[in-house]
C-alpha cells in the first residue's frame, strides 16, 4: 500500500502513532504532577527495561504531560565518562526559560539565572574531558551559591531556587534523565541525595529517569534510600492486545484493517517488543496489496524487516564491539537460547579462559550498553533477540 500513508515509526525515540499499553504510567504521572505542585510528598518515577521497549518515547510523553501543565521541563541524556553538571545545567536552563517568561518579578528570575550560571561555571576534574558551557544569560554568576564543587550540595541549592521560581507560578520543574545507568555511581548518589532533600522540603521539583534493566540496582548502590525515592516501573514487551492496538489503531485511521491471522503472525514474529512492532508493521504495510492486511503480506514482508533490523538495530550495535567483545557475546548467545542471563563463569569456561582475563571484554560491553550485569555474577543482552541475531550470523 501507499508508503506515504504508512503510519508506523521504527526508530530510537520515534514517537509511535499509537502509544499502546502505557495508560497506567501516564495516569500515575498526572497524579504525581498534581501532588508535587501542591507540595505533597510523592515518589518520582524511574523507567527501566531493555533497548527498544519504548522508554525514551514514554519519557518524552511524560515530559509532554508536564509541559501541558505549564511546568518547566528539561531533559538530559547521560553518557559514560561524562559529568552530569553541564547537561543538568542545560536542562535546568531550558526549564527556567519555560517558566521565567511568565514570571512577574524580573529580579527573582535574574537571581535564579545567576545561580544557574555559577553552577554551570563550577566545573571540576570530572568535566576536564567534557565540555564547558556558559548559560546565555546577561546576569553575572552569583558567587557562593551552587558553586562549592560538591555536586550534591550544589544541586540542592540550584534545585531549591529553581523549584521556588516555578512554585511562584503554582507549577513545578521536571527534569528527565535518559540512559540514567550511564551516570557514575558518585554522581548518581549526588542526584538522589539532592532529589531526596528537595522532596523533604516539599519543593516542586521532580527527577524522572529511564535506563537499562539494572538501573534500579545502580540507584540502590548509589544511595541506600533510592528505593524509597522512586517508583520503579518496568517497561517491557506489549501484551498481545496492546500490540494489536499498536497495529490496528493507526491503520484504522487510514481505513485499513488486519485479518486475525496477520495479527497472530505479527505477534509471533515480534514477541510484542515495541521496536519490532513498528519495524514489522512498517514493512507489512508497504508489502500489502490492500485492506485487509493478510498473513501472506506479513510472510512476504518479514525477510525485509529482519534484514533492516540486522543492519540498523542489531548490526549497528554489533559493529561497535571489538573482536574480543564479539567472541564474548557469541559465547553468551550460544549459552542462552532465550536470551536469559548467563553466568560469567560459564562464558569463561566456554571460551577456555580465566574469568579475570575476560573482565575487559565484559566491562567494554557494559560501557557500550550492549550487555548489563544482571544478577550477581551473570550478564545479559540489553537488546531483545540479540542472541538469536548472533546465532543467525554464525
Ligand atoms: N507503547 C508503544 N506502542 C507502540 N510502539 C512503541 C511504544 N513505545 C515505543 N514504541 C516504538 O518502539 C521503538 C523504540 O522506542 P524507544 O523509546 O526508542 O525505546 P527505548 O528507549 O526503550 O530503547 C520506537 O520505534 C517507538 O515508536
Ligand atoms: Mg531510549
Amino acid at each position: 500500500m501507499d508508503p506515504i500513508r504508512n503510519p508506523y515509526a521504527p526508530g530510537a525515540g520515534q514517537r509511535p502513532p499509537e502509544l499502546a499499553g502505557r495508560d497506567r504510567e501516564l495516569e500515575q504521572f498526572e497524579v504525581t504532577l498534581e501532588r508535587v505542585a501542591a507540595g505533597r510528598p510523592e515518589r518520582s518515577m524511574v523507567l527501566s527495561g531493555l533497548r527498544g521497549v519504548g522508554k525514551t518515547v514514554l519519557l518524552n510523553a511524560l515530559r509532554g504531560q508536564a509541559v501541558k501543565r505549564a511546568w518547566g521541563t528539561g531533559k538530559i541524556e547521560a553518557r559514560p565518562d561524562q559529568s552530569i553538571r553541564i547537561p543538568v545545567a542545560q536542562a535546568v536552563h531550558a526549564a527556567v526559560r519555560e517558566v521565567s517568561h511568565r514570571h512577574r518579578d524580573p529580579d527573582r528570575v535574574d537571581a535564579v539565572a545567576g545561580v544557574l550560571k555559577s553552577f554551570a561555571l563550577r566545573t571540576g576534574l570530572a568535566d576536564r574531558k567534557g565540555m564547558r558551557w556558559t548559560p546565555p544569560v546577561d546576569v553575572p554568576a552569583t558567587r557562593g551559591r551552587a558553586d562549592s564543587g560538591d555536586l550534591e550540595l550544589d544541586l540542592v541549592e540550584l534545585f531549591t531556587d529553581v523549584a521556588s521560581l516555578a512554585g511562584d507560578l503554582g507549577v513545578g520543574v521536571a527534569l528527565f534523565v535518559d540512559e540514567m545507568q550511564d551516570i557514575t555511581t558518585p554522581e548518581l548518589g549526588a542526584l538522589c541525595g539532592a532529589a531526596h532533600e528537595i522532596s523533604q522540603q516539599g519543593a516542586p521539583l521532580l527527577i524522572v529517569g529511564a535506563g537499562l534493566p539494572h538501573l534500579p540496582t545502580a540507584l540502590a548502590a548509589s544511595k541506600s534510600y533510592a528505593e524509597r525515592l522512586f517508583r520503579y516501573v518496568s517497561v517491557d514487551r506489549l501484551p498481545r492486545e496492546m500490540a494489536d492496538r499498536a497495529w490496528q489503531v493507526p491503520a484504522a485511521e487510514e481505513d485499513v484493517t488486519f485479518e486475525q491471522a496477520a495479527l497472530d503472525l505479527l505477534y509471533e514474529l515480534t514477541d510484542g517488543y515495541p521496536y519490532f512492532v513498528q519495524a514489522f508493521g512498517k514493512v507489512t504495510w508497504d508489502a500489502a496489496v490492500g485492506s485487509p492486511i493478510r498473513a501472506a503480506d506479513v510472510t512476504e514482508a518479514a525477510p525485509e524487516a529482519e534484514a533492516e533490523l540486522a543492519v540498523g538495530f542489531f548490526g549497528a550495535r554489533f559493529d561497535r564491539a571489538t573482536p574480543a567483545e564479539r567472541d564474548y557475546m557469541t559465547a553468551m548467545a550460544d549459552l542462552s537460547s532465550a536470551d536469559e542471563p548467563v553466568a560469567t563463569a560459564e562464558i569463561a569456561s566456554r571460551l577456555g579462559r580465566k574469568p579475570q582475563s575476560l573482565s575487559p571484554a565484559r566491562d567494554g560491553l557494559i560501557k557500550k550498553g550492549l550487555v548489563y550485569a544482571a544478577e550477581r555474577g551473570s550478564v545479559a543482552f540489553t537488546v531483545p533477540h540479540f542472541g538469536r541475531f548472533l546465532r543467525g550470523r554464525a
Side-chain angles (χ1 to χ4, degrees):
M1 285 183 296
D2 183 1
I4 294 167
R5 285 166 55 221
N6 193 324
Y8 303 104
Q14 285 283 333
R15 188 203 173 106
E18 165 75 6
L19 185 66
R22 308 292 185 228
D23 290 352
R24 230 188 27 198
E25 289 74 23
L26 296 171
E27 277 161 26
Q28 181 66 252
F29 195 61
E30 283 294 337
V31 175
T32 301
L33 287 171
E34 194 129 345
R35 285 183 59 87
V36 171
R40 294 186 189 279
E42 180 72 352
R43 279 185 302 171
S44 183
M45 217 182 255
V46 162
L47 316 171
S48 65
L50 297 175
R51 298 211 178 272
V53 291
K55 302 178 297 296
T56 298
V57 154
L58 182 53
L59 203 63
N60 291 342
L62 299 176
R63 184 179 184 183
Q65 286 181 304
V67 168
K68 241 191 214 147
R69 286 180 175 261
W71 278 45
T73 69
K75 186 173 163 190
I76 78 170
E77 192 179 307
R79 301 224 165 85
D81 299 326
Q82 187 186 56
S83 167
I84 58 168
R85 184 178 285 261
I86 297 294
V88 165
Q90 290 170 328
V92 167
H93 177 65
V96 167
R97 277 172 52 112
E98 285 171 18
V99 291
S100 58
H101 68 93
R102 296 194 313 266
H103 203 285
R104 296 277 179 73
D105 184 348
D107 292 342
R108 296 247 313 135
V109 172
D110 283 354
V112 171
V115 173
L116 172 65
K117 198 171 206 171
S118 83
F119 176 84
L121 293 178
R122 184 63 172 86
T123 47
L125 267 181
D127 311 283
R128 281 274 165 75
K129 274 198 275 181
M131 32 178 180
R132 291 186 72 81
W133 179 72
T134 308
V137 291
D138 292 332
V139 293
T142 310
R143 287 264 180 79
R145 187 126 181 107
D147 60 356
S148 73
D150 178 315
L151 185 61
E152 182 167 336
L153 290 179
D154 293 351
L155 284 172
V156 169
E157 292 181 350
L158 176 69
F159 288 172
T160 302
D161 293 0
V162 170
S164 144
L165 191 72
D168 292 345
L169 301 173
V171 297
V173 164
L175 298 179
F176 297 86
V177 184
D178 207 351
E179 306 292 351
M180 197 179 199
Q181 78 284 338
D182 282 341
I183 301 179
T184 62
T185 307
E187 290 204 339
L188 206 51
L191 192 60
C192 288
H196 188 47
E197 175 61 32
I198 290 297
S199 82
Q200 282 173 339
Q201 292 174 16
L205 185 136
L206 273 175
I207 309 281
V208 187
L212 293 173
H214 63 291
L215 176 57
T217 315
L219 281 165
S222 79
K223 278 278 197 252
S224 56
Y225 52 73
E227 248 164 285
R228 278 170 285 143
L229 205 53
F230 298 108
R231 176 180 298 112
Y232 293 129
V233 176
S234 138
V235 184
D236 211 335
R237 337 165 10 201
L238 299 172
R240 173 65 199 261
E241 67 198 278
M242 291 306 159
D244 284 0
R245 276 189 67 84
W247 287 305
Q248 288 175 307
V249 173
E253 275 176 28
E254 303 290 336
D255 290 321
V256 169
T257 59
F258 286 83
E259 273 181 0
Q260 193 60 36
L263 294 170
D264 292 346
L265 188 53
L266 279 170
Y267 197 76
E268 194 185 312
L269 290 165
T270 60
D271 256 351
Y273 281 109
Y275 195 104
F276 304 152
V277 165
Q278 299 299 326
F280 278 81
K282 181 146 194 230
V283 292
T284 299
W285 174 287
D286 286 348
V289 195
S291 181
I293 295 175
R294 298 156 309 137
D297 301 325
V298 181
T299 310
E300 190 194 323
E304 195 181 326
E306 307 275 6
E308 270 175 25
L309 288 171
V311 176
F313 191 66
F314 300 120
R317 296 195 157 81
F318 185 73
D319 291 346
R320 301 212 311 259
T322 65
E325 291 166 354
R326 290 179 190 185
D327 291 345
Y328 192 93
M329 289 194 292
T330 306
M332 275 176 73
D334 292 340
L335 289 164
S336 67
S337 54
D339 286 3
E340 68 276 11
V342 186
T344 50
E346 269 185 69
I347 299 168
S349 78
R350 177 157 190 109
L351 291 170
R353 301 269 303 271
K354 290 221 176 72
Q356 299 92 310
S357 74
L358 290 172
S359 296
R362 173 181 169 278
D363 295 349
L365 288 168
I366 289 175
K367 199 167 250 186
K368 287 174 184 165
L370 285 153
V371 155
Y372 68 98
E375 306 105 51
R376 248 187 102 70
S378 71
V379 286
F381 290 119
T382 60
V383 180
H385 291 184
F386 203 66
R388 187 199 287 183
F389 162 73
L390 292 176
R391 287 188 296 274
R393 276 175 50 93

